[in-house]
Amino acid sequence: MVDFDALNAIIAPEAEALGLALVRVAFFGGESDPTLQVMAERPDTRQLTIDDCADLSRRISEQLDALEEAGKDPIDGAYRLEVSSPGIDRPLTRPADFADWAGHEAKIALKEKLNGRQRFNGTLVGIDGDVVTISDKEEVEHKLPFDAIETAKLFLTDKLIAATVPLSVEGADEMEEEGQD
């Protein structure tokens, strides 16, 4: 059993202390490979460095270890902690994500069917209040309540790649292929 409210209350301040924005806290893998996944990003770059991941992982681990020692662990049993960037084809989890990534292709799955449909693919138009708008390939706009969204994710496209500037390309032209001297 996982207490997500307790986890968010623990993890969000640790991310904020490092100047990071929390994107998602999820728990998956079942009994065979239980994993606590934390996605965060730098608000100015929408990315995360390896050092950011390591720093946030340490801070979260210290907090969770202290709670476990006090008998107040928000997660029952052993699990693996995974801290990462949301990546280019990122999940859309916050209302601001739907505004920030308007104009890009996405797929949205609802918790329950709305007007006979549960899945929507198309171009994000944006968000107005608590209503997300997505335009399908026939250019029909679908208005989806934010609270009704189960999952939403960007599609990896050339346009998205072009819009996502890497933090650094230093060393990229110095790659050696295996077998070269």
Side-chain angles (χ1 to χ4, degrees), residues 32-148:
S32 64
D33 187 24
T35 302
L36 171 60
Q37 180 190 64
V38 177
M39 287 186 179
E41 65 186 5
R42 290 212 164 270
D44 57 337
T45 63
R46 313 235 356 130
Q47 298 179 33
L48 205 62
T49 66
I50 291 174
D51 289 338
D52 291 333
C53 288
D55 292 343
L56 182 55
S57 180
R58 270 189 228 93
R59 290 181 73 110
I60 294 169
S61 291
E62 288 170 3
Q63 292 297 322
L64 293 174
D65 289 348
L67 287 169
E68 182 181 19
E69 287 178 24
K72 298 178 182 178
D73 196 342
I75 302 172
D76 294 334
Y79 57 92
R80 181 171 47 104
L81 174 62
E82 174 187 293
V83 176
S84 68
S85 161
I88 294 176
D89 54 344
R90 62 183 301 121
L92 305 170
T93 60
R94 304 162 295 181
D97 293 337
F98 293 91
D100 292 348
W101 297 101
H104 292 278
E105 292 181 44
K107 59 182 174 179
I108 299 174
L110 302 179
K111 296 172 187 170
E112 297 177 5
K113 286 185 178 182
L114 178 68
N115 300 325
R117 289 185 60 185
Q118 197 165 359
R119 301 192 186 292
F120 299 83
N121 296 334
T123 303
L124 279 178
V125 175
I127 186 167
D128 185 13
D130 64 348
V131 177
V132 173
T133 303
I134 188 168
S135 177
D136 65 23
K137 64 183 175 182
E138 286 84 29
E139 297 185 16
V140 174
E141 289 190 355
H142 302 275
K143 307 278 186 190
L144 311 173
F146 177 78
D147 290 342

